[in-house]
Amino acid sequence: MKKLLASTFLAVGLYAVAGAAQAAECGEVSIAEMNWASAGVAAHVDKFILENGYGCTVELVTGDTMPTFASMNEKAQPDMAPELWVNAVRTPLDAAIKEGRLIQAAPLLSEGGVEGWWIPKFLADAHPEIKTVQDALKHPDLFPAPEDASKGAIHNCPSGWNCQVSTANLFKALDAEKAGFELVDTGSAAGLDGSIANAFEKKTGWLGYYWAPTAILGKYEMTRLSFGVDHDKKEWDACSAVPDCPNPKVNSYPVSDVYTVVTKSFAEKAGVAMDYIKVRKWDNGTVNKVLAWMDQNQGTNEDAAKHFLQEFPEMWTQWVSPEVAEKVKAAL
C-alpha cells in the first residue's frame, strides 16, 4: 500500500509539474469572436476554458468570415478562429494550408452547418408518412398559405440571401406550384422566424427553409425532410444556387464544413491549447439549446458560454483532463 501511495503521490506531483509547464507554454492567445451567435459563444467557451483550465491569457477580437480569414492569412492575427465556415474561403484556405500559413485544426460542429426544408416535429409525429419533401407536397392542406388557405405554402428566405435562390429553384424543380403550393416571401429574418413561431402558437403546419445551428431550432422542435437524392455539387454550382436557372433539378443542400482554423505560428507555440482544440466539438442540437436560452434570457455571448459550461458538463469535461475540468468548474 505504501508503495502504491508513494507511486500515486509521485504521479500527481509529476502531473502538477507538467501542468504548470503547460500553462507557462500557453502564453497569450487571441481568438476571433465572430459576429454571429454560435461562433461568439464558442469563442467565450474557449476563452473561459483556456484561461481557467490552462492558465492562458486570452484576448477576444471582433471578427467576421472574410476579414478574419484575410487577417489570419496575411498577418497571422488573430491566432484562432473557433468557428470558420470554410466553404466560403475554401480556395484561399487550401492555398494557405499548402503554403504553411494556416492549419485547419478540427471540426467545431460535429454535424457541420445544415440547411434544408423543415416541418414542425408535432406535425411529423402526427403524420409519420411524411419523410421527404415530396411526401409533404402531397398534402398542401397541412401547410396552409397565410393569404390563401386553399393552397399550401413553402416559406422562403428573405430576398438577398443565397438560400432564397436555392429555395426558389427547388420549388420549381419539385413542380410544387402544380402540387398546390405557393412560394411565400417572408420579407426578413424576423418574418421567417415569426412565421415559425406563429405556426407553433396556432399548432398549424409549416413548411420551408431553415438552417442549424440557430436559436429558433432550439426553441421550436423541427424535423428536417429529405429531398430523396444526394447532394450534387456540380448541379448545385451550375444551377441550384444560380438565380433563375431555367431547368433546375431536385437536389439536396450541401452540409457546410465548420472548422477551427489557427495560424501555424500559434500551433507551434501553444501545444496545450492545440491539444484542447483538437478534441473539442459540439453538436447542433446542443448549440440550438444554448442559443435558445441566450435569446430567451437576452444573454450575451459570455452569458451563454457560462450557461453551457454549467448545464452541459457531461460534454465539455470530455474535452479536458479531470484536473483541468475541476479548475474550470471552480471558476464558474
Side-chain angles (χ1 to χ4, degrees), residues 23-255:
E25 292 170 0
C26 181
E28 298 179 352
V29 182
S30 56
I31 299 177
E33 181 180 0
M34 300 298 204
N35 59 1
W36 62 90
S38 59
V41 175
H44 277 273
V45 168
D46 287 344
K47 173 179 169 63
F48 198 92
I49 290 179
L50 290 174
E51 285 189 333
N52 294 288
Y54 295 98
C56 306
T57 300
V58 178
E59 177 190 13
L60 295 181
V61 296
T62 302
D64 200 350
T65 302
M66 299 310 294
T68 294
F69 172 78
S71 180
M72 293 177 70
N73 192 25
E74 297 168 9
K75 303 176 183 176
Q77 285 293 328
D79 293 312
M80 176 170 67
E83 183 183 308
L84 190 68
W85 292 55
V86 298
N87 290 351
V89 292
R90 174 48 68 192
T91 300
L93 176 60
D94 285 345
I97 293 171
K98 185 176 181 181
E99 294 164 12
R101 294 189 299 279
L102 298 177
I103 294 173
Q104 184 173 300
L108 176 65
L109 298 179
S110 58
E111 302 152 302
V114 298
E115 303 173 86
W117 289 12
W118 307 67
I119 63 175
K121 184 176 181 296
F122 65 77
L123 192 73
D125 291 342
H127 296 275
E129 74 277 10
I130 299 178
K131 302 292 186 187
T132 67
V133 170
Q134 290 85 345
D135 293 334
L137 294 179
K138 297 174 183 174
H139 303 280
D141 55 304
L142 294 179
F143 308 96
E147 302 296 332
D148 183 358
S150 68
K151 295 182 178 179
I154 295 173
H155 295 79
N156 202 351
C157 289
S159 59
W161 291 20
N162 291 339
C163 47
Q164 185 197 35
V165 172
S166 56
T167 302
N169 281 330
L170 288 169
F171 181 89
K172 185 176 180 180
L174 289 157
D175 215 358
E177 185 172 1
K178 190 175 180 180
F181 282 77
E182 64 180 24
L183 193 58
V184 175
D185 181 359
T186 52
S188 64
L192 179 60
D193 292 356
S195 69
I196 294 174
N198 187 54
F200 273 78
E201 182 178 336
K202 296 181 178 177
K203 289 293 179 185
T204 58
W206 187 95
L207 172 62
Y209 171 91
Y210 218 80
W211 72 102
T214 46
I216 281 289
L217 294 185
K219 293 170 66 175
Y220 303 107
E221 284 191 282
M222 304 278 280
T223 299
R224 185 160 58 106
L225 300 178
S226 166
F227 281 90
V229 296
D230 293 332
H231 173 64
D232 183 339
K233 186 177 187 305
K234 185 176 179 180
E235 165 69 13
W236 189 269
D237 294 342
C239 179
S240 305
V242 177
D244 302 319
C245 178
N247 187 29
K249 298 176 181 176
V250 178
N251 205 344
S252 289
Y253 284 86
V255 175

Side-chain angles (χ1 to χ4, degrees), residues 242-272:
V242 177
D244 302 319
C245 178
N247 187 29
K249 298 176 181 176
V250 178
N251 205 344
S252 289
Y253 284 86
V255 175
S256 297
D257 292 331
V258 182
Y259 278 73
T260 294
V261 172
V262 303
T263 61
K264 186 177 181 182
S265 59
F266 169 73
E268 290 175 346
K269 75 180 182 182
V272 60

